[in-house]
Amino acid sequence: MRTVLGKEDYLEYYNRVLEKLEHEKDFVTGLDAATGDGDHWANMYAGFKKLTDSSEELKKEDLSGLMKRCGMLLMSGIGGSSGVLYGGAYISASKVLADVSEIDLETYYKMLETMLQSIMSRGGAKPGHKTMIDALDPAARTLRKLLDEKKPEQEILEEVKSAARQGAESTKTMQAVFGRAVYQADKGEGHLDPGAVTMAYQIEIMADMFIDKANKIQK
Ligand code: ADP
Ligand code: MG
């Protein structure tokens, strides 16, 4: 079974992320209020709203162009440190998609890995530093491992979701090395990192996109 996502699925993905953010407004805002300056939810929402508002324009692009355009929209739309990091990550991912017309799990892995490297080289943070990286890195590692082990897609996707979720959870006991939480006396210890939580949402929603697509095909 090889499930693939196309351009239309990506546009649907942005809608789903926006919807999830709408539901989690108070929770995510509270997290950034505790460890940062309280704007992370508003930043992410503004960014993804820009993507959904631009769907007509994005439809005209191929997958790589779409990703590049999204990177530019996110860079200007999100603001804050996460805007630059997400913008750069999407623009890097667009290069993986040159000459690719559909995204399978192997391509999705390459995208996640490229995004991770882009975020780490731009922001200087590493796994364990209490950032969005702590959700992205374990998800990418899990995806690579289970693809190599040739596990069934459904199992891979469920494991990737739980790796992202657990990664975000693990930030609770970490002390920040980068980002605004560094300025807190406790370096954010005892609180979840908001960026890791919203990164986990995105990875979970993308995994669900693959799962739903596979179920639709089987019907
Ligand atoms: P700002 O910190 O400028 O207010 P946001 O509130 O939108 O921006 O984003 C905060 C999130 O960004 C943090 O929770 C963290 O996950 C992530 N972050 C901050 N700095 C870095 C970095 N250097 N590398 C990776 N992620 C980072
Ligand atoms: Mg903030």
Side-chain angles (χ1 to χ4, degrees), residues 32 35 37-41 43-44 78-83 85 119-120 122-125 130-133 178-180 193-196:
D32 197 34
T35 60
D37 55 357
D39 63 352
H40 183 64
W41 180 86
N43 288 341
M44 293 302 289
I78 297 187
S81 37
S82 38
L85 297 172
I119 292 169
M120 291 203 296
R122 253 172 215 266
K130 198 180 184 81
T131 70
M132 55 173 87
I133 290 169
F178 284 87
R180 293 184 199 272
D193 175 64

Side-chain angles (χ1 to χ4, degrees), residues 150-218:
K150 302 199 173 2
K151 296 282 190 207
E153 277 191 350
Q154 182 87 19
E155 185 184 331
I156 296 179
L157 290 160
E158 291 300 338
E159 290 293 324
V160 167
K161 278 164 66 171
S162 93
R165 217 168 18 231
Q166 282 171 26
E169 274 300 318
S170 74
T171 62
K172 196 161 187 170
T173 54
M174 292 176 188
Q175 290 196 347
V177 180
F178 284 87
R180 293 184 199 272
V182 166
Y183 305 109
Q184 306 283 329
D186 57 6
K187 304 225 183 302
E189 199 176 339
H191 302 281
L192 291 170
D193 175 64
V197 169
T198 57
M199 176 64 83
Y201 292 161
Q202 293 165 72
I203 293 168
E204 287 181 74
I205 293 168
M206 182 52 79
D208 281 335
M209 292 289 310
F210 276 103
I211 292 169
D212 290 353
K213 191 80 180 269
N215 288 340
K216 228 182 262 172
I217 296 165
Q218 270 165 15

Side-chain angles (χ1 to χ4, degrees), residues 27 52-53 55 60 63 82 88 107-108 138 146 154 166 208:
F27 176 59
T52 57
D53 285 349
S55 67
K60 295 180 196 146
L63 263 177
S82 38
T107 308
Y108 181 50
L146 299 187
Q154 182 87 19
Q166 282 171 26
D208 281 335

